[in-house]
Amino acid sequence: MEAVRKEEIYTINDIYALPDGKRAEIIDGKIYSMAPPNRRHQDISFSLAKKIAEYIEAEGGKCKVYLAPFAVFLNENNQNYVEPDISVICNPDKLTDQGCNGAPDWIIEIVSQGSKAMDYFTKLFKYRTSGVREYWIVDPAKDLIMAYRFEKETMEQYSFGENAPVGIYEGFSVKVQ
C-alpha cells in the first residue's frame, strides 16, 4: 500500500520566516512565490495609484491607497495573505500597522508573465469570496483591463487608452496608457 502524501499548509508565520528580499503570498494555505515586477509594471502601478489617490483627496474621501508590498490578511484565519499591486481601503478599522485585516474595497493586480494564472483565476475567486467590492486585472501584454464589480455581479473589459469607470466611485474613471 502506497503512503498518501499530505500537502503542507502554510500560514502567515511562513511569510514572516522568509529570507530578506524574498516575497510570497498564501492563498488557502498554499504558498506562491513572487518575482519582482518589471519597469512597465511599476510605471502602470504608480500612475494608477497616483490618479486614484488624487481623486480621493480632491473629493475629500476617506479611503486610503496602498501600493505593494502592502500586507492584506483576507480572512480571519492565518492561511490567506496577499500583496495586491494596489489596494484601496475605505474602512479605517481594517487598517493596522501590519496592513489590512479583511478585504480591501478595490484591488488592482497588474499581470506579469509569472502571475497570469494567479491574477485571472486563483485571486479572482479568492477576492470575490472574501468580500472585495471591485477587482481590476490590468494586463499590459494585452493592453486590457478586466473590471470585476462583484457587488453588481458584472465584468467589463476596457482597452488601454479608454476611460474605465470605477464602480465604487460614481462619476470617476481611469485611463491606463
Side-chain angles (χ1 to χ4, degrees):
M1 184 171 200
E2 198 173 309
V4 177
R5 202 180 123 186
K6 190 175 178 198
E7 190 173 318
E8 190 165 354
I9 301 295
Y10 292 90
T11 68
I12 303 299
N13 293 335
D14 295 302
I15 292 293
Y16 291 131
L18 289 172
D20 284 350
K22 180 137 173 70
R23 291 178 49 215
E25 295 176 309
I26 299 174
I27 296 180
D28 296 328
K30 187 168 170 30
I31 197 160
Y32 299 89
S33 292
M34 298 170 65
N38 66 27
R39 190 176 60 84
R40 184 166 189 224
H41 180 286
Q42 289 293 80
D43 287 343
I44 291 169
S45 182
F46 179 77
S47 175
L48 279 171
K50 184 177 173 209
K51 289 173 188 174
I52 296 163
E54 286 172 350
Y55 172 80
I56 293 169
E57 188 176 328
E59 295 294 313
K62 302 285 186 245
C63 302
K64 297 283 187 185
V65 181
Y66 294 95
L67 288 158
F70 178 73
V72 173
F73 306 92
L74 282 173
N75 305 104
E76 295 293 318
N77 68 37
N78 65 355
Q79 297 172 10
N80 288 284
Y81 168 92
V82 292
E83 292 181 2
D85 291 311
I86 300 171
S87 300
V88 179
I89 297 119
C90 299
N91 180 350
D93 293 339
K94 290 183 178 181
L95 296 170
T96 67
D97 287 343
Q98 285 73 43
C100 177
N101 289 316
D105 294 86
W106 182 16
I107 288 178
I108 300 173
E109 294 285 8
I110 300 157
V111 178
S112 58
Q113 193 58 37
S115 73
K116 280 183 187 162
M118 281 290 291
D119 295 337
Y120 278 104
F121 301 106
T122 309
K123 287 183 176 179
L124 171 64
F125 177 77
K126 192 66 194 175
Y127 291 160
R128 183 175 61 81
T129 59
S130 296
V132 173
R133 295 168 58 201
E134 186 159 355
Y135 173 44
W136 283 19
I137 301 171
V138 177
D139 194 330
K142 298 178 181 177
D143 288 342
L144 282 178
I145 300 166
M146 309 291 284
Y148 294 87
R149 296 178 184 99
F150 298 132
E151 291 177 319
K152 297 176 182 167
E153 296 183 4
T154 64
M155 188 282 289
E156 294 177 14
Q157 184 174 295
Y158 304 94
S159 297
F160 281 23
E162 269 188 287
N163 279 318
V166 177
I168 67 167
Y169 293 115
E170 194 70 38
F172 176 48
S173 62
V174 177
K175 191 183 293 188
V176 177
Q177 301 294 357

